[in-house]
């Protein structure tokens, strides 16, 4: 008879020993473990929220791999891809370019847990995390590689993080920080708990639903399969938060508040436009705001309450930003479309605009007139007037364009001086992130800082595009070739 | 829409542009492994942050400052071409096999029938080996996190996972033996042996010292050329042989199975050594110098191997030491490396 997992599991995590040949503080330096002021024996209370044996893991995951492959085989024969709406493809390009390398980076974050986490229980869980993230990176790569023959933009699944493309650089700045620069405790709070358990949950669930509706069953299936792993390993954040709430609650509050805001800004860039503009109208399930309210706001409020944390001080501003910030971001991204590696959909045809008005009562007032001007220019045959000539100012914390983070067309300047240099921010909240921990962001120039410093030559838009790695075969343009704008002619 | 799709089809790519001119179709393994380390861009900080943050200082010091010279880290290939998919498939098969062993030998009363000397060997060596495996797990994960290429990093990921497999199988056997043999097994306990048995101490010392090697090349050498191959030989391969000799066939078979993981690790390790030696004429000397600096640790581990595995009816201590030493030298020799004199 075989033993039950729980018969032997305790022994498999009884792995602490007393170091006597070297100093344990050097083996587990606080700079990587993040143990800080938490007393060493407090980590005994760290209890993993799920148990899995290696034996069960490889069996279950092998089955999952088989499932994804089976659907993939059936669908590649069916030539489904060619039938997909091109606007929907933009979501796939954006998602793969923006997150595939993040999956690979997450292997290293989990590996950091394996090596430096302050308790062997957590170090063991990191192993499954390493494997999961290897899976996600490889599924994305395999999927995208299949599609290279029909669309070179899928090359950016692998290429994006090796370029200086501004949006990718913003993603990289965030994840390099919280995954690869963070100590174990901060990574658990910022990534496992805030990003994986909250935001990627939404990203994957929402994108999977939209992809299914768009007929992209292969993609939808892959996203859902990845999400089942995320839902499991994201739970590593909870026991860490529990220990911290006992011994260092202020650190937990600040780490989560910073990560929550930075995640919000990033998902307003990655997910907001994909959900409210790129997904074909008839296939939209929920608006980005509705998804945020249901999946992020409720969820985050519940966690904060369960663990005795306060709502972030900026909570009301955050809620207000859900009405407008991703619309500003979308407008900016579409305007700067030559700087993107995919073709964005403007998503403001008369019918789509109707939908936006219904979902966002202030949309017409805040953004309608700008799009009207763009439409007028397109109709007058003056597309160049809808294209950028300069680069936007970028935030020194989020590396996203300044303007519109909290209110549309916000003009207030947010800046701080630190060690003789001036830093600019997209909001008073990003400024706060900087002010509480300036060393983290200091001396890290934005694309525009580098442009102004002369790092990018020639100093014009083509020079910047070349520096960003944008080649003609991927350079963004309106995905429907402005057909939506011409629909207004007879209106 | 159809027009759009067909227009873009003409501009399609055969494979990742990152392969450059590969001259052949890349394998599935290469497609999902290639060029997935974004922190080694020439002229840029490793991480997209300021130069003074901890992560950048660490990577510049411990990875980019190493003395190995490699023009193209992404040219390395794992001879087993392991991907996530092939890993979980292969390991599921191995675990199914081991599960079958556990079931079969449990029904046959394997543990009830163990002689005192066989039980002693398992209590003293097999059970405490989970601490060693945990040490190797930490060491392997460090090799992953500073690896300059995803081809190397992914090998280390699977090696890390192998160690957890070993931890859990050791815990499983320990629990079984405790249930059937009671205090014969629980006293003085695995941790006591690991921390106090003189024959274990050189191994524990090697693991603890290895955990302080933060430069990537030194971490790779102390982990994959010294501590892991030596302790794999002693506590997996030779322990299995001893278990077989004293009538513990279940453990002999489990260890033989675990040794397959050790051999896979050794294949990529020495493929990498070969790759490094070919990449630059100076690399061999760098590796040898690192090896030599761990000579004393290695000699301690080797010398204690006989005492650790000594059991009546098994291979005699000196023969064990000789077997392990020559097996280790045989791994190094083809690459022009010699076991350190210590
Ligand atoms: Fe993931
Ligand atoms: Fe994850």
């Amino acid at each position: 008879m075989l033993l039950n997992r729980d018969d032997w599991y305790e022994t498999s995590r009884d792995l602490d020993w007393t170091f006597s040949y070297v100093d344990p503080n050097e083996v587990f330096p606080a700079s990587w473990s993040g143990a800080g002021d938490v007393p060493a024996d407090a980590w005994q209370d760290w209890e993993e929220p799920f148990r899995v044996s290696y034996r069960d893991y490889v069996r279950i995951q092998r089955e999952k791999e088989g499932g994804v492959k089976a659907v993939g085989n059936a669908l590649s024969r069916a030539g489904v891809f060619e039938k997909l709406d091109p606007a929907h493809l933009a979501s796939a390009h954006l998602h793969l370019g923006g997150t595939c390398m993040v999956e690979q980076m997450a292997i290293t974050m989990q590996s950091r847990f394996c090596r430096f986490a302050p308790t062997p229980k957590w170090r063991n869980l990191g192993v499954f995390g390493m494997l999961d993230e290897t899976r996600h990176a490889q599924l994305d790569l395999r999927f995208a590689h299949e599609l290279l023959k029909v669309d070179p933009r899928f090359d950016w699944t692998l290429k994006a993080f090796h370029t200086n493309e501004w949006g990718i650089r913003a993603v990289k700045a965030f994840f390099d920080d919280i995954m690869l620069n963070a100590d174990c405790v901060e990574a658990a709070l910022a990534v496992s708990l805030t990003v994986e358990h909250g935001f990627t949950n939404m990203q994957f669930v929402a994108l999977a639903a939209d992809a299914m509706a768009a007929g992209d069953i292969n993609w939808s299936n892959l996203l859902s399969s990845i999400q089942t792993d995320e839902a499991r390993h994201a739970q590593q954040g909870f026991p860490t938060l529990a220990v911290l709430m006992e011994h260092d609650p202020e650190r937990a509050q600040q780490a989560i508040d910073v990560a929550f805001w930075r995640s919000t800004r990033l998902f307003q860039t990655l997910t907001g436009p994909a959900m409210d503009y790129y997904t074909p109208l008839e296939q939209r399930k929920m608006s980005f705001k509705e998804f945020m309210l249901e999946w992020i706001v409720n969820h985050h409020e519940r966690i904060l309450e369960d663990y005795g944390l306060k709502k972030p001080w900026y909570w009301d501003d955050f809620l207000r930003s859900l009405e407008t910030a991703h619309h500003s971001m979308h407008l900016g991204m579409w305007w700067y479309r030559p700087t993107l590696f995919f073709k964005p959909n403007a998503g403001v045809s008369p019918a789509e605009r109707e939908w936006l008005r219904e979902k966002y009562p202030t949309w017409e007032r805040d953004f309608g007139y700008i799009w009207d001007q763009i439409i007028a220019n397109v109709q007058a045959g003056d597309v160049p007037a809808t294209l950028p000539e300069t680069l936007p100012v970028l935030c020194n914390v989020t590396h996203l364009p300044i303007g519109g983070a909290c209110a549309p067309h916000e003009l207030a300047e947010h800046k701080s001086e630190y060690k003789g240099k001036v830093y600019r921010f997209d909001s008073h909240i990003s400024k706060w992130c900087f002010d509480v921990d300036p060393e983290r962001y200091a001396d890290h120039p934005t694309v525009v800082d580098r442009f102004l410093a002369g790092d990018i030559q020639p100093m014009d838009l083509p020079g910047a595009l070349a520096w960003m790695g944008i080649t003609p075969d991927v350079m963004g343009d309106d995905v429907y070739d402005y057909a939506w704008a011409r629909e207004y002619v007879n209106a | 829409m159809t027009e759009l799709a067909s227009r873009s089809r003409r501009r399609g790519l055969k494979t990742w542009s990152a392969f450059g001119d590969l001259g052949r179709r890349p394998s599935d393994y290469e497609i999902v492994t290639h060029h997935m380390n974004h922190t080694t861009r020439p002229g840029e900080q490793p991480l997209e942050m300021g130069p003074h943050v901890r992560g950048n200082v660490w990577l510049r010091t411990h990875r980019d400052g190493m003395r190995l010279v490699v023009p193209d880290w992404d040219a390395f290939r794992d001879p087993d071409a392991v991907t996530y998919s092939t890993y979980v498939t292969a390991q599921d098969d191995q675990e199914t096999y081991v599960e079958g062993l556990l079931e079969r030998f449990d029904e046959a009363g394997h543990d009830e029938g163990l002689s005192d000397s066989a039980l002693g060997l398992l209590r003293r060596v097999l059970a405490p080996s989970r601490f060693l495996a945990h040490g190797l797990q930490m060491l392997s994960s460090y090799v992953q996190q500073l690896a300059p290429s995803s081809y190397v990093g992914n090998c280390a990921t699977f090696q890390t996972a192998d160690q957890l497999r070993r931890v859990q199988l050791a815990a499983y056997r320990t629990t079984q033996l405790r249930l059937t043999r009671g205090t014969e097994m629980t006293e003085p306990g695995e941790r006591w042996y690991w921390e106090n048995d003189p024959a274990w101490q050189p191994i524990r010392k090697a693991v603890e010292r290895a955990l302080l090697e933060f430069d990537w090349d030194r971490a790779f050498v102390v982990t994959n050329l010294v501590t892991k191959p030596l302790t794999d030989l002693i506590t997996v391969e030779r322990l299995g042989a001893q278990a077989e000799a004293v009538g513990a066939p279940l453990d002999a078979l489990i260890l033989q199975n675990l040794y397959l993981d050790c051999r896979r690790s050794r294949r990529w390790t020495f493929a990498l050594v070969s790759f490094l030696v070919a990449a630059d004429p100076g690399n061999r000397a760098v590796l040898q110098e690192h090896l030599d600096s761990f000579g004393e640790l290695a000699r301690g581990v080797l010398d204690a191997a006989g005492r650790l595995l000594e059991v009546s009816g098994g291979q005699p201590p000196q023969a064990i030491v000789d077997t392990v030493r020559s097996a280790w030298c045989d791994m190094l020799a083809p690459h022009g490396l010699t076991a350190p004199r210590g």
Side-chain angles (χ1 to χ4, degrees), chain B residues 185-262:
Chain B
M185 189 63 194
T186 52
E187 296 299 327
E190 307 88 57
R191 182 167 167 175
W192 184 90
Y193 286 109
W194 172 246
E195 290 185 354
N196 299 289
D197 185 326
W200 268 116
Q201 296 322 294
I203 292 182
R204 183 163 69 87
K205 182 176 173 183
V207 168
E208 292 188 8
R209 287 281 177 79
L211 283 164
L212 291 192
E213 294 298 339
F214 292 125
D215 289 351
W216 187 82
D217 50 348
R218 288 181 59 80
F220 170 71
V221 169
V222 78
T223 302
N224 276 44
L225 297 188
V226 180
T227 313
K228 184 163 157 56
L230 279 175
T231 59
D232 283 353
L233 283 164
I234 298 164
T235 65
V236 183
E237 199 273 339
R238 280 297 89 194
L239 175 61
Q242 296 294 76
E244 186 167 16
V246 297
L250 170 59
D251 298 287
L253 290 167
I254 292 174
L255 288 162
Q256 278 168 23
N257 188 271
L258 283 173
Y259 200 58
L260 298 177
D261 294 347
C262 305

Side-chain angles (χ1 to χ4, degrees), chain A residues 182-477:
Chain A
D183 60 50
C184 293
V185 167
E186 190 196 1
L189 299 176
V191 180
S192 311
L193 194 129
T194 308
V195 176
E196 290 181 327
H197 204 267
F199 288 87
T200 56
N201 210 13
M202 175 190 69
Q203 167 90 351
F204 280 84
V205 172
L207 281 188
D210 285 345
M212 188 56 90
D216 198 350
I217 300 162
N218 205 350
W219 177 230
S220 175
N221 184 52
L222 178 138
L223 291 167
S224 305
S225 187
I226 288 179
Q227 183 50 29
T228 58
D229 303 330
E230 290 296 333
R232 170 167 36 74
H233 70 234
Q235 297 178 55
Q236 288 179 99
F238 294 118
T240 309
L241 178 56
V243 169
L244 228 61
M245 289 313 289
E246 281 292 308
H247 301 278
D248 198 353
E250 290 81 22
R251 179 150 61 114
Q253 182 83 50
Q254 183 177 313
I256 291 174
D257 290 352
V258 169
F260 187 82
W261 176 247
R262 292 180 69 187
S263 304
T264 296
R265 292 295 290 142
L266 210 55
F267 281 78
Q268 284 170 344
T269 313
L270 289 175
T271 322
M275 289 185 70
D276 285 358
Y277 294 91
Y278 304 166
T279 299
L281 186 57
E282 60 280 12
Q283 291 144 11
R284 286 181 204 163
K285 296 285 169 214
M286 280 174 137
S287 70
F288 177 65
K289 181 179 81 181
E290 287 162 346
F291 239 103
M292 284 292 288
L293 289 173
E294 181 170 331
W295 286 81
I296 303 295
V297 173
N298 287 343
H299 172 89
H300 199 67
E301 279 180 330
R302 198 168 52 241
I303 291 174
L304 296 176
E305 200 175 300
D306 287 354
Y307 285 86
L309 286 159
K310 295 187 284 284
K311 276 183 199 167
W313 61 269
Y314 55 74
W315 195 248
D316 293 343
D317 292 319
F318 155 73
L319 288 176
R320 258 194 300 280
S321 84
L322 295 182
E323 289 291 338
T324 60
H326 70 290
H327 298 303
S328 296
M329 191 62 78
H330 167 67
L331 178 60
M333 284 166 70
W334 186 87
W335 183 262
Y336 280 94
R337 57 203 179 281
T339 69
L340 305 177
F341 58 94
F342 58 90
K343 287 184 162 187
N345 182 22
V348 287
S349 67
E352 287 165 324
R353 203 154 158 170
E354 187 57 46
W355 181 87
L356 286 164
R357 273 197 292 264
E358 186 197 315
K359 296 290 182 188
Y360 300 92
T362 63
W363 187 91
E364 193 60 51
R365 185 195 72 203
D366 294 335
F367 302 99
Y369 69 98
I370 305 173
W371 286 105
D372 282 339
Q373 185 57 52
I374 290 170
I375 290 161
N377 285 332
V378 170
Q379 288 181 351
D382 191 5
V383 169
T386 72
L387 284 163
E389 284 168 354
T390 56
L391 293 170
V393 182
L394 300 176
C395 170
N396 279 107
V397 166
T398 64
H399 291 260
L400 294 168
I402 288 179
C406 286
H409 328 306
E410 190 187 1
L411 292 174
E413 255 200 315
H414 307 285
K415 53 184 180 181
S416 294
E417 205 179 306
Y418 182 70
K419 292 189 177 168
K421 281 190 198 168
V422 175
Y423 296 89
R424 288 168 207 285
F425 312 105
D426 60 15
S427 58
H428 59 303
I429 309 171
S430 295
K431 172 178 156 56
W432 168 78
C433 295
F434 181 93
D435 289 343
V436 295
D437 192 3
E439 282 295 322
R440 185 188 293 261
Y441 310 97
D443 291 328
H444 178 217
T446 66
V447 170
V448 175
D449 293 336
R450 290 188 66 162
F451 186 79
L452 296 174
D455 288 0
I456 301 165
Q457 293 294 339
M459 279 182 74
D460 52 20
L461 194 63
L465 291 176
W467 185 76
M468 288 193 278
I470 300 290
T471 49
D473 57 335
V474 302
M475 185 179 294
D477 195 357

Side-chain angles (χ1 to χ4, degrees), chain B residues 36-216:
Chain B
M36 285 298 281
N37 188 337
H38 73 293
T39 66
T40 56
R41 301 175 63 208
E44 300 284 337
Q45 289 296 325
L47 305 181
E48 192 56 72
M49 302 182 75
H52 311 300
V53 298
R54 160 184 52 217
N56 275 334
V57 173
W58 191 273
L59 285 167
R60 286 199 313 270
T61 309
H62 296 300
R63 185 191 67 190
D64 302 343
M66 71 178 160
R67 287 162 55 213
L68 292 173
V69 176
V70 179
D72 178 13
W73 278 99
D74 277 338
F76 173 69
R77 296 293 182 274
D78 170 10
D80 285 66
V82 182
T83 64
Y84 180 86
S85 198
T86 67
Y87 183 78
V88 292
T89 302
Q91 298 302 80
D92 179 43
D93 285 342
Q94 299 311 318
E95 286 283 293
T96 301
Y97 165 75
V98 169
E99 217 166 51
L101 293 178
L102 289 167
E103 223 157 6
R104 183 151 56 88
F105 280 91
D106 185 58
E107 276 158 31
H110 179 273
D111 292 353
E112 288 83 352
L114 289 171
S115 68
D116 285 352
S117 59
L119 186 68
L121 182 73
L122 301 180
R123 179 181 60 223
R124 207 175 65 247
V125 189
L126 180 78
S129 72
R130 74 168 186 272
F131 293 97
L132 164 63
H134 184 61
L136 294 170
Q137 185 179 306
M138 290 192 273
L139 289 167
S140 303
S141 71
Y142 190 78
V143 172
Q144 184 281 332
Q145 59 197 260
L146 261 71
S149 155
S150 42
Y151 282 107
V152 179
N154 288 5
C155 288
T157 292
F158 299 123
Q159 178 178 308
T160 306
D162 292 343
Q163 306 313 307
L164 183 63
R165 178 183 183 219
R166 190 178 166 196
V167 167
Q168 294 198 343
L169 278 173
Y172 188 104
R173 285 296 292 139
T174 304
T175 307
Q176 262 187 324
L177 288 162
R178 282 181 194 154
L179 289 170
T180 43
R181 305 299 292 252
T183 51
E184 280 180 284
M185 189 63 194
T186 52
E187 296 299 327
E190 307 88 57
R191 182 167 167 175
W192 184 90
Y193 286 109
W194 172 246
E195 290 185 354
N196 299 289
D197 185 326
W200 268 116
Q201 296 322 294
I203 292 182
R204 183 163 69 87
K205 182 176 173 183
V207 168
E208 292 188 8
R209 287 281 177 79
L211 283 164
L212 291 192
E213 294 298 339
F214 292 125
D215 289 351
W216 187 82

Side-chain angles (χ1 to χ4, degrees), chain A residues 1-3 7-8 11-12 14-22 26-28 31-32 52-55 57-59 61-62 65 69 82-86 100-101 104-105 107-108 111-112 114-116 120 123-124 127-128 130-131 134-135 138 141-142 144-145 148-150 152-155 157-159 161-164 169 172-173 176-177 180-183 439-440 442-444 450 473 479, chain B residues 1 4-5 8-9 11-18 28 31-39 41 44 46-56 58 83-85 87-89 91-93 95-96 99 102-103 106-107 130-131 134-135 137-138 141-142 144-145 150 154 157-158 160-162 164-165 167-168 171-172 174-176 178-179 191 194-195 201 204-205 207-209 211-212 214:
Chain A
M1 210 180 65
L2 289 169
L3 296 178
D7 296 334
W8 56 265
T11 302
S12 77
D14 171 15
L15 296 165
D16 265 327
W17 77 80
T18 309
F19 283 74
S20 56
Y21 299 99
V22 298
E26 286 183 48
V27 175
F28 302 105
S31 59
W32 283 126
V52 63
S53 66
Y54 180 94
R55 199 282 155 272
Y57 180 86
V58 291
R59 176 174 45 220
Q61 298 298 108
R62 179 190 192 168
E65 285 288 284
K69 210 175 268 177
E82 280 84 349
K83 300 194 190 81
L84 295 175
D85 190 299
C100 179
M101 189 62 86
Q104 186 84 19
M105 291 155 68
I107 305 172
T108 300
S111 170
R112 184 102 1 97
C114 282
R115 172 60 186 82
F116 292 109
R123 297 200 289 269
N124 279 355
V127 176
F128 297 118
M130 286 177 81
L131 288 174
T134 304
R135 174 173 193 248
Q138 299 196 342
L141 288 163
R142 201 174 277 123
H145 191 269
L148 281 176
K149 54 182 179 289
V150 285
R153 291 188 173 83
F154 286 105
D155 195 36
T157 305
L158 172 54
K159 182 180 176 178
F161 275 62
H162 300 282
T163 73
N164 291 312
R169 219 166 161 274
K172 212 190 315 186
D176 273 356
D177 184 355
L180 302 183
N181 184 62
D183 60 50
E439 282 295 322
R440 185 188 293 261
D443 291 328
H444 178 217
R450 290 188 66 162
D473 57 335
V479 74
Chain B
M1 202 184 310
L4 266 176
S8 58
R9 195 179 304 124
R11 298 194 314 259
L13 299 172
K14 284 203 175 70
T15 188
W16 303 128
S17 59
D28 178 67
I31 287 166
V32 300
T33 313
H34 191 69
H35 202 39
M36 285 298 281
N37 188 337
H38 73 293
T39 66
R41 301 175 63 208
E44 300 284 337
L47 305 181
E48 192 56 72
M49 302 182 75
H52 311 300
V53 298
R54 160 184 52 217
N56 275 334
W58 191 273
T83 64
Y84 180 86
S85 198
Y87 183 78
V88 292
T89 302
Q91 298 302 80
D92 179 43
D93 285 342
E95 286 283 293
T96 301
E99 217 166 51
L102 289 167
E103 223 157 6
D106 185 58
E107 276 158 31
R130 74 168 186 272
F131 293 97
H134 184 61
Q137 185 179 306
M138 290 192 273
S141 71
Y142 190 78
Q144 184 281 332
Q145 59 197 260
S150 42
N154 288 5
T157 292
F158 299 123
T160 306
D162 292 343
L164 183 63
R165 178 183 183 219
V167 167
Q168 294 198 343
Y172 188 104
T174 304
T175 307
Q176 262 187 324
R178 282 181 194 154
L179 289 170
R191 182 167 167 175
W194 172 246
E195 290 185 354
Q201 296 322 294
R204 183 163 69 87
K205 182 176 173 183
V207 168
E208 292 188 8
R209 287 281 177 79
L211 283 164
L212 291 192
F214 292 125

Side-chain angles (χ1 to χ4, degrees), chain B residues 259-294:
Chain B
Y259 200 58
L260 298 177
D261 294 347
C262 305
R263 289 171 58 177
R264 172 165 34 75
S265 150
R266 197 177 303 156
R267 283 193 294 275
W268 77 260
T269 297
F270 286 95
L272 182 58
V273 168
S274 217
F275 170 84
L276 293 171
V277 168
D280 188 89
N283 287 344
R284 189 200 313 265
V286 174
L287 293 170
Q288 185 66 53
E289 213 178 288
H290 292 336
L291 263 175
D292 290 342
S293 72
F294 301 120

